């Protein structure tokens, strides 16, 4: 039997924000409750080509599938695929040739979910640090969960900042290039290996960091963790190569003070407390999204017969 390869057109046809939000939320909660299998990720670095490749795998208990994912970024261009495997017999079920889009969507969904869950309900202004794909997606997906009025943008290239502000304006947002003035909610989306400007965080009651996804990176100033309520998507990953781990090694927090993101989504938290969420990306979320997409594709194929 030929292994089905599902292309980007079919994936985008069946995938909705509601599907991704639901799959990611369920996976994060399952992970917090110990109902997942998530091996340590593998990272290949290609500095001579401005590239890196992440290999992650995951399984959520009770799912018909587990997933092995390859996601790469070379010269700011994303690519990748997901191999969906039958969890009852180990037989490959399908390849989702998503070109990295499902990874981008699950990252945006995870960031938006925890940002909304930990930020006071009346906050309608965010500062986004970075000007790449995730900078725009984090804000767009957060808008699915709460109304936003203003976005402040920071980046190292003024032309990229202006372009992102224009894109947000098209979305109906008041966007301006003054993120260093601070905001109550800050979302960091960079590949920085040195902390971002501290002044961007001085007014923050909540910070979400999503860019520190491999060893050597670190975008959040370690000081922002001191005294904050901290949530991590995977405790060991975030200790190993997340911003949380950087803060622990710098002596600003203990290594056992974090809550699981999934527990926050399940139970809620006191949103009046200053908080930080560190997301490194978990394979269980990839597995949940890929399984949900394959189920939609399969259901559509059956209905058309």
């Amino acid at each position: 039997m030929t292994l089905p390869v599902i292309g980007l057109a079919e994936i985008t046809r069946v995938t909705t924000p509601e599907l991704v939000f639901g799959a990611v939320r369920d996976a994060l909660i399952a992970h917090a409750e110990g109902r997942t299998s998530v091996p340590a990720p593998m990272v290949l670095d290609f500095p001579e080509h401005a590239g890196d490749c992440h290999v992650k795998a995951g399984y959520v208990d009770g799912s018909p599938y587990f997933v092995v994912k390859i996601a790469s970024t070379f010269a700011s261009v994303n690519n990748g695929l997901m191999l969906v495997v039958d969890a009852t017999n180990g037989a490959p079920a399908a390849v989702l040739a998503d070109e990295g889009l499902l990874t981008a969507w699950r990252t945006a969904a995870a960031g938006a979910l925890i940002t909304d869950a930990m930020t006071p309900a009346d906050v309608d202004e965010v500062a986004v640090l970075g000007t790449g794909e995730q900078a725009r997606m984090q804000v767009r997906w957060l808008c699915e969960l709460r109304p936003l009025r203003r976005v402040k943008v920071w980046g190292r290239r003024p032309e990229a900042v202006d372009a992102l502000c224009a894109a947000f304006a098209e979305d109906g947002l008041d966007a301006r290039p003054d993120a260093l003035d601070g905001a109550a909610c800050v979302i960091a989306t960079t590949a920085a290996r040195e902390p971002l400007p501290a002044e961007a965080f001085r007014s923050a009651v909540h910070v979400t960091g999503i860019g520190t996804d491999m060893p050597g990176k670190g975008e959040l100033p370690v000081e922002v963790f001191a005294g904050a309520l901290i949530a991590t998507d995977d405790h060991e990953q975030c200790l190993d190569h997340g911003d949380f781990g950087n803060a622990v090694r710098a002596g600003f927090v203990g290594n056992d003070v974090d809550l699981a993101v999934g527990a926050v989504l399940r139970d809620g938290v006191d949103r009046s407390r200053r908080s930080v969420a560190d997301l490194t990306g978990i394979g269980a979320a990839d597995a949940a999204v890929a399984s949900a997409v394959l189920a939609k594709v399969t259901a559509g194929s059956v209905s058309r017969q």
Side-chain angles (χ1 to χ4, degrees):
M1 183 180 72
T2 302
L3 182 65
V5 177
I6 301 165
L8 189 60
E10 182 72 354
I11 291 169
T12 55
R13 186 184 69 80
V14 303
T15 307
T16 63
E18 291 76 17
L19 180 147
V20 179
F21 274 128
V24 170
R25 187 180 190 277
D26 289 349
L28 288 167
I29 291 173
H31 193 58
E33 295 174 349
R35 296 186 288 108
T36 64
S37 178
V38 179
M42 182 174 69
V43 179
L44 302 173
D45 202 9
F46 302 91
E48 67 275 19
H49 300 295
D52 58 57
C53 178
H54 297 244
V55 182
K56 291 184 175 179
Y59 172 67
V60 179
D61 289 359
S63 172
Y65 305 111
F66 67 89
V67 169
V68 179
K69 179 195 77 173
I70 296 173
S72 62
T73 302
F74 280 67
S76 299
V77 177
N78 296 327
N79 214 321
L81 58 83
M82 296 188 180
L83 175 63
V84 184
V85 184
D86 191 313
T88 66
N89 59 22
V95 172
L96 302 185
D98 70 317
E99 300 178 24
L101 187 60
L102 292 179
T103 293
W105 283 350
R106 72 93 159 114
T107 302
L113 284 165
I114 197 60
T115 299
D116 182 57
M118 301 188 84
T119 302
D122 61 347
V123 171
D124 61 0
E125 176 183 79
V126 301
V128 62
L129 310 182
T131 56
E133 177 185 55
Q134 274 302 314
R136 187 172 188 183
M137 292 186 71
Q138 287 291 322
V139 172
R140 279 186 159 178
W141 285 63
L142 184 58
C143 285
E144 296 282 336
L145 302 179
R146 66 162 62 203
L148 293 181
R149 173 178 55 90
R150 178 180 297 150
V151 182
K152 298 179 177 181
V153 179
W154 176 88
R156 301 190 189 279
R157 295 182 297 115
E159 65 276 14
V161 171
D162 290 342
L164 186 56
C165 286
F168 285 142
E170 291 177 0
D171 295 336
L173 296 169
D174 175 5
R176 54 190 64 182
D178 54 4
L180 295 189
D181 287 346
C185 177
V186 178
I187 306 170
T189 68
T190 74
R193 293 177 177 266
E194 298 292 337
L196 299 174
E199 55 265 40
F201 302 91
R202 65 173 177 260
S203 304
V205 295
H206 175 74
V207 175
T208 294
I210 67 161
T212 305
D213 57 359
M214 60 183 285
K217 291 184 179 180
E219 59 179 351
L220 301 185
V222 292
E223 295 84 358
V224 305
F225 286 88
L229 180 67
I230 300 168
T232 58
D233 57 355
D234 182 276
H235 176 77
E236 294 300 330
Q237 274 187 200
C238 290
L239 268 182
D240 179 67
H241 59 261
D243 280 303
F244 172 60
N246 294 335
V248 169
R249 287 183 286 276
F252 280 86
V253 292
N255 65 4
D256 59 352
V257 300
D258 56 315
L259 301 172
V261 163
V264 174
L265 298 179
R266 182 192 62 206
D267 303 328
V269 290
D270 179 1
R271 292 195 281 181
S272 67
R273 285 190 59 185
R274 189 170 61 84
S275 59
V276 182
D278 183 20
L279 304 183
T280 53
I282 61 169
D286 295 312
V289 171
S291 297
V293 170
L294 182 57
K296 291 284 285 185
V297 171
T298 301
S301 297
V302 171
S303 67
R304 291 194 294 269
Q305 289 180 359

